Amino acid sequence: GDSVTQMEGPVTLSEEAFLTINCTYTATGYPSLFWYVQYPGEGLQLLLKATKADDKGSNKGFEATYRKETTSFHLEKGSVQVSDSAVYFCALSSPDTGRRALTFGSGTRLQVQP
Amino acid sequence: DSGVTQTPKHLITATGQRVTLRCSPRSGDLSVYWYQQSLDQGLQFLIQYYNGEERAKGNILERFSAQQFPDLHSELNLSSLELGDSALYFCASSPEDTFNEKLFFGSGTQLSVL
């Protein structure tokens, strides 16, 4: 079945540091890929998405590129802020499920220190 | 604010009991999804309804059931509760049956089974 593997956290960075959170996936067909962010006490919010190979999703300084050859969708940001502290989830939706359900990774907690 | 309302925010109950979690989707959204977030299983898709009809089922236990009413709100019923059912239950909504855009998540109901 479909699965998403993320790097374990927590990831602790200083403000203005470069961020990479690794995500790889296993799926049949051509899934759509997503990054969601969860701030403390809140529900998940879509951060960015990519629906086909080589697409780059971007939002709020975050970027991720859909790499079919390496089945990866790594999240990057050039300069993190304290306000970026949250849990980040990589997810996919598969055409096999009619794109109805998201399969999530385990989440990576990011802590940014001033 | 995502526009998705979940009640109650917190629920404490005992093993063997039954509880009902409620979700009101964003105005105009016809699809409602239920997800369970636990420390050991991560975020797991439970079930989806679209305009009152069940459309997809994930890892939902037989002790759990859901429905979507004509006014589009949804309820998740959990019965014969066990300690392992303690988790954060999220509801999400989207305007479509199959989504390629994004889900809007509520802030969740924290269930504690003692």
Side-chain angles (χ1 to χ4, degrees), chain B residues 46-98:
Chain B
L46 295 179
I47 197 164
Q48 179 216 354
Y49 280 83
Y50 177 78
N51 204 20
E53 291 188 7
E54 181 185 305
R55 299 296 286 167
K57 230 173 187 177
N59 298 321
I60 187 167
L61 299 172
E62 285 191 8
R63 300 183 286 107
F64 296 1
S65 65
Q67 55 184 324
Q68 186 180 27
F69 294 87
D71 67 353
L72 300 177
H73 90 272
S74 177
E75 293 181 355
L76 180 67
N77 300 296
L78 316 176
S79 62
S80 303
L81 285 168
E82 301 176 359
L83 296 177
D85 297 327
S86 296
L88 187 53
Y89 291 84
F90 284 111
C91 168
S93 74
S94 73
E96 299 170 3
D97 182 12
T98 60

Side-chain angles (χ1 to χ4, degrees), chain A residues 32 34 36 38 41-44 46 49 51 89 93 98-102 104, chain B residues 33 35 37 43 45 48 55-56 90 97-103 105-107:
Chain A
S32 295
F34 305 84
Y36 276 80
Q38 184 179 27
E42 298 183 12
L44 282 75
L46 178 68
K49 69 180 177 79
T51 57
F89 291 90
S93 70
R99 302 193 188 280
R100 290 193 170 90
L102 285 171
F104 284 94
Chain B
Y33 302 77
Y35 283 82
Q37 186 178 35
L43 255 170
F45 167 68
Q48 179 216 354
R55 299 296 286 167
F90 284 111
D97 182 12
T98 60
F99 64 90
N100 283 309
E101 292 299 320
K102 60 182 175 179
L103 294 185
F105 281 81
S107 56

Side-chain angles (χ1 to χ4, degrees), chain A residues 54-69:
Chain A
D54 299 325
D55 268 3
K56 177 185 281 189
S58 61
N59 186 27
K60 299 181 182 179
F62 291 90
E63 293 183 341
T65 301
Y66 190 143
R67 301 288 189 198
K68 189 171 185 304
E69 64 277 10

